[in-house]
Short mmCIF file of all heavy atoms in Angstrom, two decimals:
data_model
loop_
_atom_site.label_atom_id
_atom_site.label_comp_id
_atom_site.label_asym_id
_atom_site.label_seq_id
_atom_site.Cartn_x
_atom_site.Cartn_y
_atom_site.Cartn_z
N GLY Z 339 93.36 177.03 144.48
CA GLY Z 339 91.94 176.93 144.22
C GLY Z 339 91.31 178.29 143.99
O GLY Z 339 91.99 179.31 143.89
N PRO Z 340 90.00 178.39 143.96
CA PRO Z 340 89.31 179.66 143.76
C PRO Z 340 89.48 180.60 144.95
O PRO Z 340 89.91 180.17 146.02
CB PRO Z 340 87.85 179.24 143.60
CG PRO Z 340 87.88 177.77 143.33
CD PRO Z 340 89.12 177.24 143.93
N PRO Z 341 89.20 181.93 144.82
CA PRO Z 341 89.39 182.88 145.93
C PRO Z 341 88.56 182.50 147.12
O PRO Z 341 89.01 182.70 148.26
CB PRO Z 341 88.94 184.22 145.33
CG PRO Z 341 89.12 184.03 143.83
CD PRO Z 341 88.87 182.64 143.57
N GLU Z 342 87.38 182.00 146.91
CA GLU Z 342 86.57 181.63 148.07
C GLU Z 342 87.24 180.58 148.90
O GLU Z 342 87.27 180.64 150.14
CB GLU Z 342 85.19 181.17 147.61
CG GLU Z 342 84.35 182.27 146.98
CD GLU Z 342 84.69 182.50 145.53
OE1 GLU Z 342 85.61 181.77 145.03
OE2 GLU Z 342 84.10 183.38 144.87
N GLN Z 343 87.85 179.54 148.21
CA GLN Z 343 88.55 178.50 148.95
C GLN Z 343 89.77 179.06 149.68
O GLN Z 343 90.10 178.66 150.78
CB GLN Z 343 88.97 177.38 147.98
CG GLN Z 343 87.78 176.65 147.35
CD GLN Z 343 88.25 175.55 146.43
OE1 GLN Z 343 89.46 175.38 146.28
NE2 GLN Z 343 87.27 174.84 145.84
N LEU Z 344 90.49 180.03 149.06
CA LEU Z 344 91.65 180.63 149.72
C LEU Z 344 91.22 181.40 150.96
O LEU Z 344 91.88 181.36 152.00
CB LEU Z 344 92.37 181.58 148.75
CG LEU Z 344 93.01 180.87 147.52
CD1 LEU Z 344 93.64 181.90 146.60
CD2 LEU Z 344 94.06 179.88 147.99
N VAL Z 345 90.12 182.15 150.88
CA VAL Z 345 89.66 182.93 152.03
C VAL Z 345 89.27 182.02 153.15
O VAL Z 345 89.61 182.23 154.32
CB VAL Z 345 88.48 183.85 151.62
CG1 VAL Z 345 87.88 184.52 152.82
CG2 VAL Z 345 88.98 184.90 150.63
N GLU Z 346 88.52 180.97 152.81
CA GLU Z 346 88.14 180.03 153.85
C GLU Z 346 89.36 179.39 154.46
O GLU Z 346 89.44 179.16 155.67
CB GLU Z 346 87.21 178.98 153.26
CG GLU Z 346 85.87 179.52 152.80
CD GLU Z 346 85.05 180.03 153.94
OE1 GLU Z 346 85.27 179.57 155.09
OE2 GLU Z 346 84.18 180.89 153.70
N GLY Z 347 90.38 179.09 153.62
CA GLY Z 347 91.62 178.50 154.16
C GLY Z 347 92.34 179.45 155.08
O GLY Z 347 92.90 179.06 156.10
N ALA Z 348 92.34 180.74 154.73
CA ALA Z 348 93.03 181.72 155.58
C ALA Z 348 92.31 181.88 156.90
O ALA Z 348 92.92 182.01 157.96
CB ALA Z 348 93.11 183.05 154.85
N ARG Z 349 90.96 181.90 156.85
CA ARG Z 349 90.21 182.00 158.08
C ARG Z 349 90.40 180.79 158.96
O ARG Z 349 90.50 180.90 160.19
CB ARG Z 349 88.71 182.16 157.76
CG ARG Z 349 88.38 183.50 157.11
CD ARG Z 349 86.90 183.57 156.80
NE ARG Z 349 86.56 184.86 156.17
CZ ARG Z 349 85.33 185.17 155.73
NH1 ARG Z 349 84.35 184.27 155.84
NH2 ARG Z 349 85.11 186.37 155.19
N ALA Z 350 90.53 179.64 158.34
CA ALA Z 350 90.72 178.43 159.14
C ALA Z 350 92.09 178.39 159.76
O ALA Z 350 92.28 177.92 160.89
CB ALA Z 350 90.50 177.20 158.27
N SER Z 351 93.10 178.98 159.05
CA SER Z 351 94.47 178.96 159.59
C SER Z 351 94.69 180.05 160.62
O SER Z 351 95.65 180.00 161.39
CB SER Z 351 95.47 179.12 158.44
OG SER Z 351 95.25 180.35 157.77
N ALA Z 352 93.84 181.07 160.62
CA ALA Z 352 94.03 182.16 161.60
C ALA Z 352 93.66 181.69 162.99
O ALA Z 352 92.88 180.75 163.17
CB ALA Z 352 93.17 183.37 161.20
N ASP Z 353 94.23 182.38 163.94
CA ASP Z 353 93.97 182.06 165.35
C ASP Z 353 92.57 182.52 165.71
O ASP Z 353 92.18 183.63 165.39
CB ASP Z 353 95.02 182.76 166.23
CG ASP Z 353 94.93 182.26 167.67
OD1 ASP Z 353 94.12 181.34 167.92
OD2 ASP Z 353 95.69 182.76 168.49
N PRO Z 354 91.80 181.75 166.46
CA PRO Z 354 90.44 182.19 166.80
C PRO Z 354 90.42 183.40 167.73
O PRO Z 354 89.48 184.17 167.73
CB PRO Z 354 89.85 180.95 167.49
CG PRO Z 354 90.70 179.79 167.06
CD PRO Z 354 92.04 180.34 166.80
N GLY Z 355 91.49 183.60 168.49
CA GLY Z 355 91.50 184.74 169.42
C GLY Z 355 91.80 186.05 168.75
O GLY Z 355 91.58 187.11 169.34
N ASP Z 356 92.38 186.04 167.59
CA ASP Z 356 92.74 187.28 166.90
C ASP Z 356 91.50 187.94 166.35
O ASP Z 356 90.54 187.28 165.94
CB ASP Z 356 93.70 187.01 165.75
CG ASP Z 356 95.04 186.46 166.27
OD1 ASP Z 356 95.34 186.68 167.46
OD2 ASP Z 356 95.74 185.76 165.46
N PRO Z 357 91.51 189.29 166.32
CA PRO Z 357 90.36 189.99 165.75
C PRO Z 357 90.28 189.76 164.26
O PRO Z 357 91.30 189.58 163.59
CB PRO Z 357 90.64 191.47 166.06
CG PRO Z 357 92.11 191.55 166.25
CD PRO Z 357 92.55 190.27 166.85
N ALA Z 358 89.05 189.70 163.77
CA ALA Z 358 88.86 189.44 162.33
C ALA Z 358 89.33 190.61 161.51
O ALA Z 358 89.07 191.76 161.87
CB ALA Z 358 87.37 189.19 162.07
N PRO Z 359 90.06 190.40 160.50
CA PRO Z 359 90.54 191.52 159.67
C PRO Z 359 89.39 192.15 158.92
O PRO Z 359 88.38 191.51 158.61
CB PRO Z 359 91.52 190.85 158.72
CG PRO Z 359 91.08 189.42 158.62
CD PRO Z 359 90.53 189.09 159.96
N GLU Z 360 89.57 193.41 158.70
CA GLU Z 360 88.53 194.14 157.96
C GLU Z 360 88.58 193.76 156.49
O GLU Z 360 89.65 193.65 155.91
CB GLU Z 360 88.77 195.68 158.10
CG GLU Z 360 88.61 196.15 159.52
CD GLU Z 360 88.82 197.66 159.62
OE1 GLU Z 360 89.15 198.25 158.56
OE2 GLU Z 360 88.67 198.22 160.71
N GLU Z 361 87.37 193.56 155.99
CA GLU Z 361 87.28 193.19 154.58
C GLU Z 361 87.41 194.42 153.70
O GLU Z 361 86.81 195.46 153.99
CB GLU Z 361 85.93 192.51 154.30
CG GLU Z 361 85.77 191.20 155.05
CD GLU Z 361 84.45 190.56 154.73
OE1 GLU Z 361 83.67 191.16 153.97
OE2 GLU Z 361 84.19 189.41 155.22
N ALA Z 362 88.24 194.30 152.74
CA ALA Z 362 88.43 195.42 151.81
C ALA Z 362 87.22 195.52 150.89
O ALA Z 362 86.64 194.51 150.51
CB ALA Z 362 89.70 195.23 150.99
N PRO Z 363 86.84 196.78 150.60
CA PRO Z 363 85.71 196.94 149.68
C PRO Z 363 86.05 196.42 148.29
O PRO Z 363 87.18 196.56 147.82
CB PRO Z 363 85.48 198.45 149.66
CG PRO Z 363 86.78 199.04 150.07
CD PRO Z 363 87.42 198.08 151.03
N ILE Z 364 85.06 195.76 147.77
CA ILE Z 364 85.25 195.17 146.43
C ILE Z 364 84.84 196.19 145.40
O ILE Z 364 83.71 196.68 145.41
CB ILE Z 364 84.42 193.89 146.29
CG1 ILE Z 364 84.86 192.86 147.32
CG2 ILE Z 364 84.53 193.31 144.88
CD1 ILE Z 364 84.00 191.62 147.36
N THR Z 365 85.77 196.54 144.57
CA THR Z 365 85.49 197.50 143.49
C THR Z 365 85.19 196.73 142.23
O THR Z 365 86.00 195.91 141.79
CB THR Z 365 86.69 198.42 143.28
OG1 THR Z 365 87.02 199.06 144.52
CG2 THR Z 365 86.40 199.45 142.20
N PRO Z 366 84.04 196.99 141.67
CA PRO Z 366 83.73 196.26 140.41
C PRO Z 366 84.64 196.71 139.30
O PRO Z 366 84.98 197.88 139.19
CB PRO Z 366 82.28 196.64 140.12
CG PRO Z 366 82.04 197.91 140.84
CD PRO Z 366 82.92 197.87 142.07
N VAL Z 367 85.08 195.77 138.58
CA VAL Z 367 85.98 196.04 137.45
C VAL Z 367 85.17 195.95 136.18
O VAL Z 367 84.46 194.97 135.93
CB VAL Z 367 87.14 195.03 137.42
CG1 VAL Z 367 88.04 195.30 136.22
CG2 VAL Z 367 87.93 195.09 138.70
N ARG Z 368 85.28 197.04 135.43
CA ARG Z 368 84.54 197.08 134.16
C ARG Z 368 85.54 196.89 133.03
O ARG Z 368 86.56 197.57 132.98
CB ARG Z 368 83.84 198.44 134.01
CG ARG Z 368 83.07 198.57 132.68
CD ARG Z 368 82.35 199.88 132.61
NE ARG Z 368 81.34 199.95 133.67
CZ ARG Z 368 80.59 201.04 133.89
NH1 ARG Z 368 80.77 202.12 133.15
NH2 ARG Z 368 79.68 201.03 134.85
N SER Z 369 85.20 195.98 132.21
CA SER Z 369 86.09 195.73 131.07
C SER Z 369 85.78 196.70 129.95
O SER Z 369 84.77 197.39 129.96
CB SER Z 369 85.87 194.30 130.54
OG SER Z 369 84.53 194.14 130.12
N THR Z 370 86.71 196.77 129.08
CA THR Z 370 86.55 197.69 127.95
C THR Z 370 85.42 197.26 127.04
O THR Z 370 84.86 198.06 126.31
CB THR Z 370 87.85 197.76 127.14
OG1 THR Z 370 88.19 196.43 126.71
CG2 THR Z 370 88.98 198.31 127.97
#
Side-chain angles (χ1 to χ4, degrees):
E342 294 82 1
Q343 296 181 359
L344 295 177
V345 172
E346 294 294 335
R349 292 179 180 177
S351 60
D353 190 4
D356 296 338
E360 296 181 357
E361 296 181 358
I364 299 174
T365 305
V367 178
R368 178 177 297 177
S369 60
T370 56

